[in-house]
Amino acid sequence: MKTQRQATILRLIAEQRIGSQDQLREALAGEGVVVTQATLSRDLRDLGLIKVTDPSGEASYAQQPERSSPPGIDRLLPSLARSAEGVGALLVLRTSPGAAALVATALDQAGWHELLGTIAGDDTVLAIARSPRDRELVMQRVRTLLG
């Protein structure tokens, strides 16, 4: 039952834009699958689904890319990052809700020697550069990728 329900969830989010748990629960009910909010929340967590925001600002659920091979920073930043500001050696990136960990991982794996590391919250990434000058270089790259 759980496996079938989760497979249905994955199919639904692939076929249509679903931006809330209520919308997902309604879509599941249309498929004959009745779930409680608590069960749906567990399914979303178990499946590793995240909310992403498209360029028009609409949020929807999506599958998180495999952690072993995340998409490149050049693909992630334009779709998930919203802004970048910095001071000293610190760079703060604002992301779509729930996307900070994905962006931080991509930054860590980008191989940018100017960065010491990152810390992620829900929608905020703190990137720590080796120096204020290195932070400026990273900021330029990020802003170029953001467009």
Side-chain angles (χ1 to χ4, degrees), residues 52-53 63 65-66 69-82 102-103 106 112 145-146:
V52 296
T53 306
Q63 277 190 281
E66 292 296 320
S69 59
I73 194 74
D74 57 329
R75 286 186 31 223
L76 278 178
L77 279 182
S79 62
L80 298 178
R82 299 289 161 247
L102 191 58
V103 170
W112 295 353
L145 291 171
L146 288 177

Side-chain angles (χ1 to χ4, degrees), residues 7-140:
T8 303
I9 291 169
L10 291 174
R11 180 177 53 77
L12 287 170
I13 67 162
E15 292 175 353
Q16 56 189 290
R17 175 173 288 151
I18 297 178
S20 71
Q21 285 190 19
D22 285 337
Q23 287 177 330
L24 182 55
R25 211 165 48 178
E26 288 175 17
L28 285 167
E31 299 279 324
V33 179
V34 179
V35 295
T36 65
Q37 188 275 328
T39 298
L40 188 54
S41 289
R42 278 191 299 275
D43 285 342
L44 293 172
R45 185 185 65 238
D46 291 349
L47 293 168
L49 298 181
I50 59 172
K51 270 198 171 176
V52 296
T53 306
D54 66 18
S56 69
E58 291 189 49
S60 62
Y61 285 105
Q63 277 190 281
Q64 186 170 343
E66 292 296 320
R67 293 172 195 243
S68 59
S69 59
I73 194 74
D74 57 329
R75 286 186 31 223
L76 278 178
L77 279 182
S79 62
L80 298 178
R82 299 289 161 247
S83 67
E85 295 181 58
V87 63
L90 305 176
L91 176 65
V92 175
L93 294 161
R94 303 284 183 194
T95 70
S96 301
L102 191 58
V103 170
T105 299
L107 281 168
D108 289 337
Q109 294 181 354
W112 295 353
H113 72 276
E114 297 91 353
L115 285 180
L116 290 171
T118 60
I119 300 171
D122 179 63
D123 63 355
T124 305
V125 175
L126 173 63
I128 303 163
R130 294 182 185 281
S131 70
R133 177 157 168 64
D134 285 340
R135 193 256 315 150
E136 279 296 324
L137 294 171
V138 171
M139 177 98 72
Q140 288 174 355

